[in-house]
Amino acid sequence: MESDTLKYEQEIHLKNVKQLTWGGNNAEAYWSFGGDQLIFQSDFDAWGVACDQIFKLDISKAEAGYQPPMISTGLGRTTCAYFLPGDTTIVYGSTHLGDSLCPESPMRSASGKYVWPIYADYDIFTADLNGNILKQLTHTAGYDAEATVSPKGDRIVFTSMRSGDLELYTMDMSGENVVQITDELGYDGGAFFSPDGEKLIFRASRPKTEEEIATYKGLLAEGLVQPTEMELFVCNADGSDLKQITKLGNANWAPFFHPSGEKVIFSSNHEAERGFPFNLYMFNLEGTGLERVTFDSVFDSFAMFSPDGKYLVWASNRFNGGNRDTNLFMAEWVD
C-alpha cells in the first residue's frame, strides 16, 4: 500500500503508516480516551505560533494542508497536554502566567552540552476544547509540568521542582491530595500510568559521582537539565517498589506501556555513537527481551498506543526531505 512507503522494511510491528502533520516540530501526541483524536504540541510557524502551543487533531481529517485547531491560549509556551476522561477537557502545562511571550530557548549549556529548559513559570491547568482555561491545578513556585492521566481517570502524575529537585508527584483530578512519588537526586519525568493505573513508568537521571552531582545541580540552578544520560524506572502508583529497568547507557526516555501492561515501548540512542539516531525499542517490564521497533536514521520518539491497542502514534524526522521538521505518524500495530 502507498502508506507503507513511510516505513522501513525492518519495521515489522508497523502497518499502513500514515503521516499526520507536515511541518514544524510536532511532538507528544497523546490519544483521546475515545481513540479518535490526538492532542499535541507544535511550534509550526505556518500555524501562527512562535513557540509550542497545544493543538487537537481529528484523525479522520489529517491530510497535507489541514490546520488543526489550537486549543491553548496562544500565550507563553505550553507542554505535555493530555485528555481528561470524557474527551471534552484537557490538562497541560503553560508559562503564560509568568509572561505572555515565549520564553527564551537555551541553545547549549556553558560547556556546549545539549540541554532542556526547565522554565520556572510552568504551571498545570485544565481547559476546554475551545481554549478556555477552567482551573489552575498547581500553585507552587518553580516548574510544574509533564502531566499525564491515569486510564482509570482518577489521578494525574506530573513533575515538579517544589522540593528543590525534579521529582514525580500525583494529584487528584482537582489538583488536591498531592503525593510525592520519587525522592532521589536527579531528573524524574515523562511519567505514564500502566493500563490498569497501578504502576508508573518514567525516565530519570541519577548523578552519582561528585562531578556528576555538581554538574546536575549547577545546571538545575540555571533552569536547565542535560538529558543525555537517562534510564527507565518503574514503580507502583504510590511510589513503592521502585526499580530501574534499563541499564543501556545514553538517553532512554519517552516510555509508554504496551496495552498488555507487560511490555514497554520507549525511545533510545543507546546504539548511537554521536547522539543520533533515536529509535523506538520494546522490552518486557522486567527489562528482558529488548527488541528494536523502528529503523530511522534520525529520530523516532514519543510513542503512544491507542486505548484499544490497535494503533501507535509517534513523532519522527523520517522522510522529511532532510530538514529538521518533526512530524507525527500513526500506524496499525502488529504484535
Side-chain angles (χ1 to χ4, degrees):
M1 294 182 66
E2 181 182 354
S3 59
D4 278 345
T5 61
L6 297 177
K7 75 168 202 172
Y8 297 96
E9 184 179 358
Q10 308 99 307
E11 295 174 341
I12 59 174
H13 289 291
L14 307 179
K15 179 182 176 183
N16 296 336
V17 179
K18 180 181 180 181
Q19 188 166 345
L20 302 177
T21 63
W22 286 263
N25 293 301
N26 306 277
E28 296 185 74
Y30 301 136
W31 295 94
S32 61
F33 280 73
D36 59 342
Q37 301 175 85
L38 291 168
I39 193 166
F40 67 101
Q41 62 201 45
S42 178
D43 66 359
F44 192 22
D45 55 10
W47 293 347
V49 297
C51 60
D52 286 335
Q53 293 293 328
I54 305 301
F55 293 82
K56 178 178 71 71
L57 179 66
D58 182 333
I59 295 294
S60 66
K61 296 179 179 178
E63 60 181 30
Y66 174 66
Q67 180 174 336
M70 182 173 73
I71 55 174
S72 53
T73 63
L75 305 176
R77 180 173 174 172
T78 65
T79 191
C80 304
Y82 216 89
F83 279 99
L84 296 172
D87 294 339
T88 61
T89 55
I90 61 169
V91 60
Y92 71 99
S94 177
T95 66
H96 71 272
L97 291 185
D99 196 325
S100 63
L101 302 177
C102 294
E104 186 175 347
S105 297
M107 299 304 292
R108 297 274 169 173
S109 68
S111 64
K113 299 285 188 178
Y114 175 66
V115 291
W116 283 349
I118 302 296
Y119 297 119
D121 287 337
Y122 265 129
D123 271 303
I124 298 172
F125 304 84
T126 58
D128 63 24
L129 300 186
N130 294 314
N132 302 306
I133 288 181
L134 302 175
K135 186 174 183 180
Q136 182 177 347
L137 297 185
T138 60
H139 298 83
T140 59
Y143 183 84
D144 289 290
E146 304 179 38
T148 65
V149 181
S150 170
K152 293 165 62 176
D154 61 341
R155 300 289 286 172
I156 295 170
V157 62
F158 64 103
T159 295
S160 177
M161 268 287 291
R162 63 189 63 194
S163 72
D165 191 20
L166 289 161
E167 305 289 5
L168 292 181
Y169 295 79
T170 62
M171 60 183 169
D172 290 346
M173 311 303 280
S174 63
E176 306 296 322
N177 296 314
V178 176
V179 176
Q180 185 170 346
I181 301 300
T182 59
D183 61 4
E184 291 186 55
L185 183 69
Y187 169 38
D188 299 297
F192 291 91
F193 287 91
S194 58
D196 61 7
E198 297 299 318
K199 295 182 181 297
L200 290 168
I201 189 158
F202 60 98
R203 62 180 179 236
S205 66
R206 287 290 180 263
K208 298 296 185 185
T209 68
E210 288 186 12
E211 182 180 1
E212 289 171 345
I213 292 170
T215 298
Y216 173 75
K217 289 183 174 180
L219 286 172
L220 199 58
E222 298 177 44
L224 302 170
V225 293
Q226 187 176 309
T228 49
E229 294 185 15
M230 294 188 294
E231 300 290 352
L232 302 183
F233 292 72
V234 67
C235 65
N236 293 329
D238 62 2
S240 62
D241 198 22
L242 176 66
K243 299 175 183 176
Q244 181 176 341
I245 54 173
T246 63
K247 294 183 179 179
L248 296 172
N250 289 356
N252 304 278
W253 61 300
F256 195 83
F257 279 96
H258 180 272
S260 66
E262 298 174 354
K263 296 182 179 181
V264 175
I265 193 167
F266 66 104
S267 181
S268 176
N269 67 344
H270 73 274
E271 293 186 291
E273 295 181 1
R274 292 176 170 265
F276 279 88
F278 279 90
N279 276 288
L280 301 179
Y281 296 80
M282 178 171 281
F283 68 138
N284 298 318
L285 193 56
E286 295 78 20
T288 61
L290 183 67
E291 179 184 9
R292 187 167 169 180
V293 174
T294 63
F295 290 79
D296 197 2
S297 61
V298 189
F299 179 83
D300 287 299
S301 191
F302 303 114
M304 181 186 184
F305 287 99
S306 60
D308 62 9
K310 293 181 179 180
Y311 297 94
L312 186 78
V313 66
W314 78 103
S316 179
N317 294 144
R318 64 181 54 208
F319 307 117
N320 63 7
N323 60 35
R324 296 193 174 189
D325 289 349
T326 303
N327 286 302
L328 303 179
F329 294 80
M330 65 175 287
E332 295 176 35
W333 179 256
V334 181
D335 266 321

